[in-house]
Amino acid sequence: MELRHTATLFESGLRWLDYYLREDRGVPAGIIKGSMTELSGPPLAGKTQLSLQLIAAAQREGLPCGLVVTEEFDKYRAFELGVNLETLLVADPLNGEQAFEATSAFLHHGCKFIVFDSLAAAQPQVCREGWKGQEDQDRLFANAFRVLAPLFHTSDAALFATNQLRHTPTEAAVRSGVHSAGSRVVDPIFDERWTLEKQRDGDRVAYTLTTIKSRWRTSDRVVGFNGNLGNAF
């Protein structure tokens, strides 16, 4: 499904990320209206922090935002990163079904930027005897995104979902899109898929953001920088 428009919803305010999302193939930089983006990576790579920084950037542009939390929400950290907690809509669902219902509700409520943190922790409500794990989660994702994808793709809002790597990916695994939770379902639906990795060498920290899929921008693009995500303005 092609989007009705490729207009920027907002820019991140992070110099390294806005540079990474620079105009490519005639597509404006920034988060695009009607888009669905997945950010995957290993634990503690900075996925939630980057998501909160994007919420703060969207709020600075006056955009109503929603956050669906399937793991833990540190509101104090969010405040430090510039998130306006008074205007942010937050859902803390009990299971994956409720999480996707909250996402739909936020969109219908008028939220223009919705963060889903994270897909990996969105588990089906009933873990019945003989539960098949990833297979049941894939079914949950397929049913949910069958409804949500057309809503986002025909709107002026955007979805940004974090995800967890199931294992340390090889280059082939990254390219095939089978390295994160539910990615066999996510890959054909999401417009952009990024990975974020963090490397530490003593006091030195380096990050690498890679595009493994994009509907509009050049895939396999990589940006690396040293320092802290929170200071990379």
Side-chain angles (χ1 to χ4, degrees):
M1 178 184 297
E2 293 299 325
L3 305 190
R4 294 182 306 169
H5 41 220
T6 51
T8 299
L9 181 61
F10 67 94
E11 295 191 6
S12 72
L14 301 168
R15 286 186 299 180
W16 67 269
L17 183 56
D18 288 332
Y19 173 80
Y20 181 74
L21 299 176
R22 66 190 180 277
E23 189 168 326
D24 187 8
R25 295 182 180 175
V27 178
I31 302 297
I32 294 175
K33 292 181 179 180
S35 65
M36 298 172 65
T37 302
E38 177 205 37
L39 175 66
S40 62
L44 303 177
K47 302 182 297 295
T48 296
Q49 179 173 333
L50 179 56
S51 300
L52 292 173
Q53 288 175 287
L54 290 175
I55 288 176
Q59 289 180 324
R60 288 194 295 270
E61 296 297 320
L63 299 174
C65 297
L67 173 63
V68 179
V69 182
T70 60
E71 294 186 312
E72 188 173 327
F73 178 44
D74 185 345
K75 62 181 180 180
Y76 300 105
R77 181 58 174 154
F79 178 78
E80 290 176 347
L81 292 170
V83 174
N84 185 337
L85 297 173
E86 293 183 358
T87 62
L88 178 66
L89 297 181
V90 180
D92 186 14
L94 298 175
N95 51 60
E97 286 85 351
Q98 289 185 5
F100 288 113
E101 289 170 3
T103 304
S104 178
F106 284 169
L107 183 61
H108 288 296
H109 188 74
C111 289
K112 299 302 182 185
F113 184 61
I114 300 172
V115 167
F116 193 116
D117 186 30
S118 73
L119 290 175
Q123 299 294 337
Q125 180 177 4
V126 179
C127 295
R128 61 189 181 279
E129 184 177 353
W131 183 60
K132 297 180 181 179
Q134 187 61 62
E135 181 179 332
D136 283 350
Q137 190 179 51
D138 286 352
R139 186 178 299 109
L140 170 66
F141 286 5
N143 291 336
F145 287 126
R146 187 178 298 117
V147 175
L148 288 174
L151 295 178
F152 276 100
H153 285 154
T154 57
S155 75
D156 58 354
L159 175 67
F160 191 88
T162 67
N163 207 346
Q164 194 89 310
L165 292 179
R166 288 307 193 193
H167 54 80
T168 302
T170 63
E171 182 178 355
V174 169
R175 291 180 183 276
S176 66
V178 296
H179 63 292
S180 60
S183 57
R184 289 182 178 84
V185 176
V186 169
D187 188 66
I189 295 173
F190 274 59
D191 307 294
E192 297 205 283
R193 300 186 68 202
W194 307 343
T195 61
L196 180 65
E197 297 180 83
K198 176 181 178 181
Q199 300 84 33
R200 183 181 294 276
D201 182 10
D203 294 333
R204 181 178 177 273
V205 178
Y207 291 89
T208 304
L209 185 70
T210 305
T211 298
I212 58 174
K213 174 195 173 182
S214 179
R215 190 179 296 271
W216 322 278
R217 301 182 174 104
T218 304
S219 297
D220 301 321
R221 291 171 57 220
V222 179
V223 61
F225 63 92
N226 300 325
N228 187 285
L229 283 175
N231 297 328
F233 289 92

